[in-house]
Amino acid sequence: MNNVNTNALIQVRELTKFFPIYRGAIFRRKLGDLRALDGVSFDISRGETLGLVGESGCGKTTTGRTILQLEHPTSGKVFFEGRDITGIGKYEARRLRKHMQIIYQDPFGSLNPRMTVRDIVGEPLLIHELTKGRGEYRDRIDSLLKMVGLNPAMAARYPHEFSGGERQRIGIARALAVNPGFIICDEPVSALDVSIQAQIINLLEEIQEKFGLAYLFIAHDLAVVRHISNRIAVMYLGEIVEIADRKDLYREPMHPYTKALLAAIPIPDPEMEYSREHSMIKGEVPSLFDTPPGCKFHTRCPIMQKICRESRPVLKNMHGNEHMVACHLVI
Amino acid sequence: MLLQVRNLSTYFLADNGVVKAVDDISYDLEEGETLSIVGESGCGKTVSALSLLRLIPDPPGKIVNGKIIFEGRDLLTLSEDEICDIRGNRMAMIFQEPMTSLNPVLTIGHQVMEPLMLHKGMNRKEALKECIELLKGMQIPDARTMVGAYPHQFSGGMRQRVMVSMGLSCNPRLIIADEPTTALDVTIQAELLDLMKKLTRDHFTALIIITHNLGIVARYADKVIVMYAGRIVEKALTRELYRSPLHPYTIGLMESVPRLDQDIKQKLRPIEGQPPDLAYLPSGCSFHPRCRRAMERCRRESPTLREVSDNHEAACWIYE
Amino acid sequence: MNAHRHSYTIDASLPGPRSNAWTAFFTLMKHKVALAGLVILLGLLFMAVFAPVLAPSDPNEQDLYHVLEGPSLKHLLGTDDVGRDLLSRVIFGSRATLLMGALSTFFSAVIGVLIGLVAGYKGGIVDMVVMRITDTFMCVPALVLMLVIVSALGPGMQSIVLSITILSWTWFARIVRGQVMLVRELPYVEAANALGASGFRIMFKHLLPNVMAPIIVTATIALGGNIMLESAVSFLGLGVQQPTSSWGNELRIGYSYLEVVPLFSLAPGLMITLAVLAFNFIGDGLRDALDPRLRSSLGIRGNGYGRAGGTNAVVK
């Protein structure tokens, strides 16, 4: 996957992240590696939303953190605006934070309970010296709060006085404060009530349009991801198994895992559900520590063949368009 | 009729007043039927389930009113011993968090055998045999060895299956599953629920699934109750509810959920505002501040649940 | 925009911004024992501040004609070995004792917290080295250290404060380090990192405020302990010297005349006891008040309700 994409804001190439597991306190013996990411590659263009779906342990959160350089990858490269930012030092990383931000899943843990909303949203302004003088500082915070649908009069309150959805809005305001070009949304609506999820999703879409933001939207809910993304990548045990335009992925899923995911998600329509097959794969997700050889999905795959056990499939382009699948059995 | 709930109300006494967690709910459940109670956090669905088994901590909670007629007896009039006899035996509950609902210092075997020995009077040998059968039935691999394992050695999905085994062990007439799959991955979720549905069908067990996921409701439930702010706002058979939802809250919920089968709409239609703080409920209809079709009357009076069409009830002034 | 209208969800009529400090204060007030401690402490502080007004006589005024007398109308607690009014000396003694206790606690807290912060945040080698240093300090025998310092600097307030500080900073360091290691794993700390916050900012704006609770509790109880330590040191004669009075000092003199004028020992002893009790009681109350678990039961619950004063703790 080496096509030059001049519009690409983020380029990720063969990203891997292994967490070594040791045993013993003084004489540490290495037991093996937890393979959180095992060769992930994709591009994200300006203004685009790439959805990243997968179940727990697939590595989607690690992907986000590695791109932001909150974790340094074990190998592989990350490019931002054409510049190689892999493994950059602390000071350079700090400057990077003006361009890339992150919104967290937990609306309760991601805000410092001892800081007022004003402090929380204003902190990035202070860190990067984006405003001069108190007046401008306050004005900017107020306008950020208004942008996410919060009353600026609430700025003196503390996080615990707000509901989950409101707290998530505060987190979004904080991420917007530095005027980034790229935001990683790490399961931003998973912890919210259903009726609030839609509010936040709409808000994210609104600000994306307004500011031309690119998103990496990480989630496990395929329906939500489909709604907001342009393209979607499906991950399993640290690898991307399928990546396609959102229409293609749902209309013509090719990888057995993608098909199983789609089948497993219940649709709010009893008639349709009655005639659908639900559970196509059995068994548990293997541990990241002891990943299966060959194709990592082969232990649960309904169409597994001998070759799947032996060699690891590579992401291949199908039909010449942008739809890519990593499976031996898809022609 | 296996279960008849009539005018059940459970209130909590808090520092700043009374919280009406469950306010005057009534419903029926036949043998072998699957009912789903849908709502978001704070609507009272879990409290209503805990009330059935009288698991409400008192203080600060109290079942202030109502009848729960299960197998012909009003559970609220039974003594503590009598209700213990029913819990786990005739009526079982599966909790949401498989991580914390199992005792970490007891083996899986011990925990599954416990209800068997307690309610069915089996001795250890019989209970062990039955336990292994149950675990096999839940498709837990290597059941014989797993009996001696501890909860932390299992994954979330496995633990939930163990919980289900515990629930099914004494062949109860009713199982209450409280958000049984929220902590699980989608594929595991699908497998588990299918398994549960099959087993309840085989044993003709009634099932109450408490969830906020409209898809799960569509897939598994025969009939549905929608709760909001402690009250039932709509009650119908599943197909009927999805075919023509009546209450604005139900409609709002359905419109705000992105769906895999629909064309990608431009924007979702969320329900504006927040679910209310149960200690400070709005006047009249609790939903009126967020309702697109609120009228003057909605602000003043709280509507009661009324039959609007065949077997389909809604609590809304629009249908008066 | 439509969204705005419905997002102004917090009613203006609800109570205003409620910081965690207020919640803690109210909880504290409900704690009877802590309240008692607070009353006692206020009494002692009052005594210290208004000593010149409260004391019936000049504590240094000697009356060699009325030496070692028992309680009388003029001298409510009697007189000491050079005829000074005992009551006045005890009242004035509170100044020295409380001041030394406060200073030593303050300094040891500052040093201990800083060290604990850095060790806990940095982790790794820094942490290991710092902790070994802390361990070393903890092994130092108290008495020996004090003798060394006193012999170097001479007896008096500086030596006492210095030696107690050296002895007690390790407690703060340990506790803070442990707490910091917990808090630094929380999402909002990582969020600050992702924003580009420097180490300093994270330590002082994010970590420190969130570990204040155990610091305050430790400091309060340390105050009591340090007062006892000061008394012990003064009792050995290494503390403030005559004519300055401190409770420990008075205890020392009173000890020699225990049989003759028991009140001489009882009075300062009682003061010390009261002070230590007061601080311990307050410390207990503070610990309960600042315990986040307790706070959440009168605060906010799960995903939904964040109203000020909402108590949805048990409702789902």
Side-chain angles (χ1 to χ4, degrees):
Chain A
M1 195 179 170
N2 276 314
N3 38 337
V4 175
N5 187 345
T6 48
N7 221 6
L9 192 61
I10 302 277
Q11 286 170 298
V12 173
R13 296 282 175 270
E14 293 300 314
L15 209 55
T16 55
K17 180 72 189 171
F18 292 169
F19 292 100
I21 308 285
Y22 295 104
R23 207 203 184 111
I26 304 181
F27 300 110
R28 305 207 300 174
R29 199 180 79 231
K30 185 164 163 180
L31 285 177
D33 283 315
L34 198 91
R35 311 182 120 195
L37 285 183
D38 208 351
V40 168
S41 308
F42 55 78
D43 288 354
I44 304 179
S45 309
R46 268 175 234 284
E48 181 189 23
T49 300
L50 176 68
L52 201 57
V53 287
E55 297 175 298
S56 51
C58 69
K60 48 193 200 291
T61 301
T62 312
T63 307
R65 302 185 74 230
T66 316
I67 291 178
L68 270 185
Q69 300 303 311
L70 286 172
E71 300 256 11
H72 289 313
T74 309
S75 72
K77 293 221 171 288
V78 181
F79 296 91
F80 177 70
E81 287 182 341
R83 221 175 76 228
D84 186 352
I85 60 168
T86 326
I88 51 176
K90 267 197 294 191
Y91 293 107
E92 270 206 65
R94 212 165 284 157
R95 277 186 302 164
L96 198 63
R97 305 278 175 252
K98 274 192 276 193
H99 304 284
M100 299 206 261
Q101 271 304 313
I102 180 167
I103 297 169
Y104 291 92
Q105 171 179 10
D106 182 359
F108 295 90
S110 57
L111 304 177
N112 187 335
R114 305 228 174 234
M115 287 169 78
T116 59
V117 171
R118 177 165 291 128
D119 290 335
I120 292 173
V121 178
E123 189 174 18
L125 298 174
L126 292 175
I127 294 175
H128 299 280
E129 293 170 354
L130 295 173
T131 56
K132 291 187 201 23
R134 241 172 136 216
E136 197 186 330
Y137 176 73
R138 286 202 157 207
D139 287 339
R140 176 100 176 107
I141 295 176
D142 285 351
S143 81
L144 282 167
L145 289 175
K146 278 203 272 244
M147 224 183 291
V148 297
L150 289 172
N151 185 347
M154 297 292 126
R157 302 219 175 183
Y158 287 85
H160 69 260
E161 302 182 66
F162 295 84
S163 69
E166 290 165 333
R167 288 165 81 132
Q168 204 62 314
R169 290 175 195 257
I170 297 171
I172 295 174
R174 174 175 64 184
L176 282 179
V178 296
N179 241 325
F182 174 58
I183 296 186
I184 296 182
C185 305
D186 191 352
E187 309 242 30
V189 295
S190 312
L192 303 175
D193 273 325
V194 173
S195 61
I196 311 289
Q197 284 189 15
Q199 290 178 16
I200 302 296
I201 294 172
N202 279 357
L203 176 64
L204 286 172
E205 288 182 314
E206 233 171 77
I207 57 180
Q208 175 175 40
E209 227 183 278
K210 195 164 175 183
F211 298 105
L213 298 169
Y215 287 153
L216 178 66
F217 196 90
I218 301 173
H220 61 262
D221 186 340
L222 266 170
V224 170
V225 173
R226 174 182 182 250
H227 180 87
I228 195 175
S229 312
N230 301 107
R231 285 184 306 136
I232 302 172
V234 181
M235 284 186 77
Y236 185 78
L237 284 186
E239 297 174 335
I240 294 184
V241 296
E242 187 163 359
I243 179 167
D245 184 87
R246 70 174 165 185
K247 288 206 194 69
D248 286 340
L249 194 82
Y250 290 89
R251 209 183 21 193
E252 228 192 305
M254 294 202 227
H255 197 281
Y257 178 61
T258 313
K259 293 188 192 169
L261 262 189
L262 287 169
I265 296 178
I267 296 177
D269 184 336
E271 305 281 354
M272 197 172 287
E273 280 297 315
Y274 191 65
S275 46
R276 274 176 78 201
E277 206 193 319
H278 309 157
S279 146
M280 291 171 66
I281 53 178
K282 301 244 170 278
E284 297 286 309
V285 185
S287 91
L288 283 167
F289 185 51
D290 205 359
T291 53
C295 170
K296 293 191 185 167
F297 185 58
H298 85 255
T299 54
R300 303 167 78 197
C301 186
I303 57 171
M304 194 260 291
Q305 303 289 317
K306 186 157 165 284
I307 185 179
C308 306
R309 239 189 314 229
E310 292 164 358
S311 78
R312 193 178 135 168
V314 169
L315 268 180
K316 290 193 303 266
N317 227 311
M318 296 286 137
H319 310 156
N321 66 359
E322 293 280 315
H323 194 152
M324 302 177 83
V325 194
C327 181
H328 293 300
L329 309 174
V330 173
I331 315 293
Chain B
M1 190 68 64
L2 178 69
L3 176 71
Q4 285 173 303
V5 175
R6 292 282 173 272
N7 307 102
L8 178 65
S9 295
T10 307
Y11 295 175
F12 286 81
L13 256 52
D15 274 343
N16 54 343
V18 175
V19 172
K20 298 186 179 177
V22 174
D23 196 8
D24 195 26
I25 65 171
S26 310
Y27 58 87
D28 295 337
L29 188 64
E30 304 255 18
E31 297 233 18
E33 237 185 349
T34 301
L35 164 74
S36 187
I37 305 184
V38 191
E40 299 173 294
S41 54
C43 70
K45 50 193 197 295
T46 299
V47 174
S48 70
L50 291 174
S51 303
L52 290 183
L53 283 169
R54 279 173 50 182
L55 288 172
I56 304 289
D58 181 358
K62 203 167 162 56
I63 302 176
V64 299
N65 192 19
K67 291 208 225 324
I68 302 175
I69 302 171
F70 178 66
E71 292 187 312
R73 297 150 82 195
D74 184 356
L75 299 182
L76 294 177
T77 60
L78 298 182
S79 71
E80 192 59 33
D81 278 342
E82 288 171 320
I83 197 88
C84 278
D85 193 43
I86 294 189
R87 286 188 198 135
N89 187 13
R90 311 295 301 158
M91 196 194 291
M93 186 149 172
I94 298 168
F95 295 90
Q96 178 176 356
E97 283 289 324
M99 316 297 150
T100 49
S101 320
L102 288 174
N103 190 329
V105 300
L106 296 175
T107 60
I108 300 291
H110 183 132
Q111 297 187 59
V112 177
M113 296 193 311
E114 193 172 6
L116 288 170
M117 297 198 286
L118 191 62
H119 294 296
K120 292 275 193 258
M122 295 187 183
N123 60 33
R124 281 196 77 90
K125 202 151 153 243
E126 293 169 338
L128 183 61
K129 191 151 161 278
E130 181 70 18
C131 168
I132 296 178
E133 285 308 309
L134 278 168
L135 292 179
K136 279 204 197 136
M138 288 304 292
Q139 302 188 352
I140 292 178
D142 241 345
R144 206 167 287 265
T145 1
M146 285 309 177
V147 167
Y150 288 87
H152 68 264
Q153 297 173 284
F154 283 80
S155 69
M158 281 294 159
R159 273 184 269 206
Q160 200 60 312
R161 282 178 217 230
V162 169
M163 285 236 66
V164 176
S165 317
M166 279 166 67
L168 287 171
S169 59
C170 299
N171 205 358
R173 300 287 76 228
L174 169 61
I175 293 187
I176 306 170
D178 184 5
E179 307 254 24
T181 56
T182 305
L184 301 175
D185 282 326
V186 175
T187 46
I188 313 287
Q189 190 172 313
E191 217 186 323
L192 182 74
L193 279 172
D194 276 350
L195 198 51
M196 235 166 70
K197 187 74 186 177
K198 172 175 175 302
L199 287 170
T200 50
R201 222 189 340 249
D202 290 345
H203 296 265
F204 207 51
T205 316
L207 186 58
I208 295 182
I209 302 180
I210 298 176
T211 181
H212 56 264
N213 184 327
L214 289 172
I216 290 183
V217 176
R219 195 179 265 192
Y220 297 105
D222 298 317
K223 53 195 208 186
V224 191
I225 288 175
V226 181
M227 283 185 75
Y228 186 81
R231 316 188 108 204
I232 297 181
V233 296
E234 192 161 353
K235 205 198 283 185
L237 293 177
T238 312
R239 290 189 190 209
E240 174 64 22
L241 188 83
Y242 283 81
R243 200 162 49 82
S244 71
L246 294 176
H247 196 280
Y249 176 59
T250 317
I251 300 173
L253 268 187
M254 295 194 178
E255 285 183 341
S256 65
V257 171
R259 292 169 55 147
L260 279 182
D261 60 321
Q262 282 179 347
D263 270 330
I264 298 162
K265 295 198 282 271
Q266 283 307 102
K267 250 185 162 55
L268 296 169
R269 278 189 95 194
I271 306 178
E272 300 295 347
Q274 321 274 341
D277 181 335
L278 288 179
Y280 299 104
L281 283 174
S283 60
C285 171
S286 306
F287 187 62
H288 88 255
R290 306 172 75 190
C291 186
R292 262 177 226 130
R293 306 178 59 182
M295 308 179 292
E296 182 51 43
R297 192 175 184 194
C298 306
R299 221 181 318 261
R300 285 182 288 115
E301 296 171 63
S302 182
T304 47
L305 202 57
R306 227 164 276 228
E307 185 156 351
V308 174
S309 59
D310 198 24
N311 245 323
H312 190 159
E313 298 173 56
C316 183
W317 291 126
I318 297 178
Y319 303 104
E320 289 297 303
Chain C
M1 278 166 72
N2 248 348
H4 289 181
R5 182 162 57 87
H6 291 281
S7 293
Y8 295 4
T9 51
I10 298 186
D11 203 331
S13 64
L14 283 178
R18 252 229 244 164
S19 84
N20 296 329
W22 278 115
T23 325
F25 187 64
F26 282 123
T27 321
L28 185 62
M29 288 300 109
K30 292 187 192 163
H31 199 285
K32 301 270 183 336
V33 166
L35 221 43
L38 201 59
V39 167
I40 298 176
L41 178 62
L42 285 174
L44 294 175
L45 280 175
F46 186 75
M47 187 196 297
V49 170
F50 293 106
V53 173
L54 290 170
S57 346
D58 180 347
N60 293 327
E61 188 191 325
Q62 301 186 4
D63 184 359
L64 291 165
Y65 291 108
H66 300 274
V67 166
L68 289 179
E69 284 181 358
S72 65
L73 269 177
K74 184 161 182 249
H75 301 285
L76 286 170
L77 287 182
T79 57
D80 71 356
D81 59 331
V82 287
R84 294 176 291 203
D85 177 26
L86 198 53
L87 180 61
S88 308
R89 283 193 75 72
V90 168
I91 289 178
F92 268 88
S94 65
R95 291 188 156 188
T97 306
L98 289 176
L99 187 60
M100 282 192 278
L103 280 178
S104 54
T105 308
F106 176 72
F107 289 129
S108 57
V110 167
I111 296 176
V113 168
L114 277 174
I115 292 180
L117 257 183
V118 173
Y121 176 61
K122 295 282 183 198
I125 301 255
V126 173
D127 176 40
M128 212 175 70
V129 167
V130 169
M131 278 301 113
R132 299 296 80 80
I133 295 177
T134 312
D135 288 341
T136 315
F137 269 88
M138 284 178 108
C139 296
V140 172
L143 215 43
V144 172
L145 177 75
M146 289 200 202
L147 284 172
V148 166
I149 292 185
V150 166
S151 56
L153 298 174
M157 206 175 276
Q158 295 101 302
S159 313
I160 305 285
V161 172
L162 182 61
S163 30
I164 297 181
T165 303
I166 294 179
L167 288 170
S168 14
W169 70 260
T170 51
W171 296 112
F172 287 98
R174 274 250 153 118
I175 289 180
V176 168
R177 171 206 179 249
Q179 290 294 312
V180 165
M181 292 189 119
L182 284 176
V183 174
R184 74 170 185 202
E185 304 300 326
L186 291 176
Y188 61 82
V189 176
E190 185 185 286
N193 194 8
L195 286 175
S198 65
F200 274 121
R201 177 168 266 274
I202 292 182
M203 276 195 281
F204 291 101
K205 260 246 121 174
H206 293 279
L207 294 173
L208 182 58
N210 285 290
V211 297
M212 277 313 271
I215 295 176
I216 292 177
V217 174
T218 307
T220 313
I221 299 191
L223 265 167
N226 288 347
I227 286 179
M228 278 226 296
L229 206 48
E230 178 274 322
S231 312
V233 172
S234 296
F235 183 76
L236 293 172
L238 303 171
V240 290
Q241 299 298 303
Q242 298 284 355
T244 324
S245 64
S246 84
W247 291 338
N249 221 345
E250 296 305 300
L251 259 183
R252 174 166 200 269
I253 306 174
Y255 181 66
S256 337
Y257 304 107
L258 199 52
E259 284 168 7
V260 178
V261 190
L263 213 45
F264 206 150
S265 305
L266 279 173
L270 183 63
M271 287 296 123
I272 295 170
T273 311
L274 278 177
V276 175
L277 270 179
F279 284 120
N280 277 345
F281 287 166
I282 297 176
D284 265 347
L286 277 176
R287 189 189 293 121
D288 287 346
L290 295 173
D291 185 335
R293 268 168 301 175
L294 285 182
R295 199 181 334 127
S296 69
S297 73
L298 56 87
I300 309 318
R301 191 244 156 233
N303 24 330
Y305 311 121
R307 299 304 175 87
T311 50
N312 301 304
V314 288
V315 174
K316 247 206 217 188

